[in-house]
Amino acid sequence: MAAAESWLYPTPRGLYCAAGKFHVDPPAGAERALITHGHSDHARSGHANVLATAETIAIMQERYGARSAGTFQAVRYDEPLVIGGVRVAFVPAGHILGSAQIVLEWGGKRVVVSGDYKRAPDPTCAPFEPVKCDVFVTEATFALPVFHHGPVEREIQKLLQSMARQPARIHLIGAYGLGKCQRLIKLLRIAGYDRPIWLHDALAGLTHLYQRLGQDLGEVRIVPDEADGVPAGALVLCPPSSIGDRWARRFGDTVTGFASGWMRVRGRARQQGVELPLVISDHADWTELLETIVETEAEDVWVTHGREDALVYQLGKMGRRARALSLVGLDEDDG
Ligand SMILES: [Zn+2]
Ligand SMILES: [Zn+2]
């Protein structure tokens, strides 16, 4: 049996499967790119051929244009195909709509490239499916024991209670535009919030795409240019970078919040001027990372994307072979 490293390895152009002649989540234009999900640090434009779930393709086309790759080929979850002798399957990752782990089998070894993932339930995407494998490639965004995300329902109640206590103030909440924003809306709807939710126009395109792809998000409205267009007490979602900028001043005295796994770190919330930190993450926390790795029964764990050192060290203590994969172009854009 060929060690997985002999046919799948990191290159300056991303993780490369030599046996199948394709890259996974390549950072620059590749001949054949298999894409785990639509976040920009995984899905780039300019590939000759893209293989991804239909939702990921729709997200890429919304962001980069219909012709942002030479060809797009949609693949369904759990319907394996063969590329150059490598068996390939896309399996739900529970991270955002359309997100997938990519399962590769060749030479008697199975490798799971999990992309980004979480184990907490998310009403906007299919739940993570654990797959037993020889090598598990894991992210490490929140790979420190301090990161424990907790139930999202508690954070949603925190927001609803704040709005009930201060009914005249606009609540301005920062949320990443792909995944977090739409999950936050959906969670609020499930919790019974039925008023219109206002969006910064940078969040509109992908939110409308989620709606077109069948997600019921209730009534969403775009914040108009005129200062008086948004009623007192409204809930406004915006990109995190807009919380403190000129755009936000039109609302006057607001309660500002930020929905992110990073909000577990109090100093970080304070530093960003966030009054209402909401610990809502689309990534596995420390416990979920370790439990998931154990569940895969992988002998080897390749760690990327965040706190590689801490996770590699911990896995070593647990008697597993683990190493950091140095991949370029991956960053924490979607906590
Ligand atoms: Zn992501
Ligand atoms: Zn990522």
Side-chain angles (χ1 to χ4, degrees), residues 37 39 41-42 95-96 116 283 305 333-334:
H37 68 286
H39 280 137
D41 51 334
H42 299 261
H95 175 55
I96 62 167
D116 293 339
H283 295 267
H305 215 34
D333 81 329
D334 55 352

Side-chain angles (χ1 to χ4, degrees), residues 45-47 60-61 64-72:
S45 63
H47 305 308
M60 292 175 74
Q61 292 181 331
Y64 307 132
R67 303 168 74 87
S68 52
T71 65
F72 286 101

